[in-house]
Amino acid sequence: MLVASAIGTLAAGQAFASGPMITGGLTSQPIGHYEFCKTNPAECSIRPRDRGPERMSGALWSQLVSVNTAVNATVKPMNDLEIYGKDEVWAYPDAGVGDCEDYVLEKRRELQQRGFSLSNLLVTVVRKPDGEGHAVLTVRTDKGDFILDNLTNSVRDWSQTGYRFLKRQASNHTGRWVTIREGSAPLVGAVQ
């Protein structure tokens, strides 16, 4: 029953899929990612071979929904000031608490352990409709780019989120970031 539901959801998602994000040139890392890379240099020097987007299937969709839902349920939301006493600390939520970036890192780690290529698991910085900065995980597929988000258990096509997409990790280097373009005008921004 769950698999049939996931395939039905996939079909609905595909009907609204807008295709992949269009990325621009290199841009600055968010400060939290920069600090994360200083602490975890091996995490930020990976140059995955880009073999193209993941092939969408019912099984892949089920994995995306499962990981998104499980991490959202497992990690208790807390901001960095409450956890670390300072702003913008990106870390794995190994203590069971974290903010949006921490959820993203955990989802990325779990999907990589399931065989997804890091070239298709991209930390992405967005602005929510209220203007607040936020991080989500973009999963590149042959049916478009889908978003895993700690604010919802629904896996959605990136264009259906209501977010303004600013930048994301480059698909060919885990320590580099690229702009995301809407139409022909590049968006430029930083979240501090």
Side-chain angles (χ1 to χ4, degrees):
M1 187 71 170
L2 181 61
V3 173
S5 173
I7 292 172
T9 304
L10 170 62
Q14 287 177 330
F16 296 107
S18 62
M21 291 177 200
I22 306 299
T23 57
L26 291 175
T27 191
S28 61
Q29 287 175 283
I31 188 66
H33 190 253
Y34 174 79
E35 295 295 330
F36 174 80
C37 290
K38 284 179 22 183
T39 306
N40 304 281
E43 290 257 351
C44 300
S45 60
I46 301 168
R47 296 175 186 241
R49 192 163 142 220
D50 187 355
R51 298 180 184 160
E54 300 288 334
R55 186 180 165 279
M56 182 56 82
S57 66
L60 183 134
W61 184 258
S62 292
Q63 287 185 71
L64 296 181
V65 171
S66 173
V67 166
N68 192 53
T69 303
V71 172
N72 287 352
T74 303
V75 178
K76 178 184 173 192
M78 287 182 73
N79 67 46
D80 291 330
L81 281 174
E82 294 171 310
I83 302 168
Y84 304 105
K86 59 184 180 175
D87 284 328
E88 279 310 294
V89 177
W90 291 28
Y92 288 103
D94 294 332
V97 296
D99 65 0
C100 59
E101 299 93 1
D102 308 335
Y103 283 84
V104 169
L105 290 170
E106 183 61 29
K107 291 172 188 183
R108 185 172 166 263
R109 176 167 62 180
E110 290 193 22
L111 288 168
Q112 181 189 16
Q113 289 171 350
R114 292 177 182 218
F116 285 68
S117 170
L118 286 176
S119 68
N120 294 323
L121 301 173
L122 307 168
V123 180
T124 306
V125 173
V126 302
R127 287 236 184 259
K128 298 188 314 186
D130 65 6
E132 182 182 2
H134 185 50
V136 295
L137 181 65
T138 298
V139 180
R140 292 187 331 147
T141 79
D142 63 348
K143 300 299 181 192
D145 293 340
F146 291 89
I147 302 302
L148 281 65
D149 189 345
N150 68 300
L151 300 179
T152 179
N153 287 334
S154 298
V155 174
R156 298 177 290 176
D157 176 82
W158 72 280
S159 68
Q160 303 297 312
T161 62
Y163 296 147
R164 181 171 161 233
F165 286 75
L166 303 174
K167 58 174 117 178
R168 75 179 189 192
Q169 283 180 301
S171 61
N172 62 354
H173 193 295
T174 56
R176 295 202 175 136
W177 287 70
V178 294
T179 60
I180 299 171
R181 301 165 58 106
E182 285 184 328
S184 60
L187 291 173
V188 180
V191 176
Q192 297 180 338

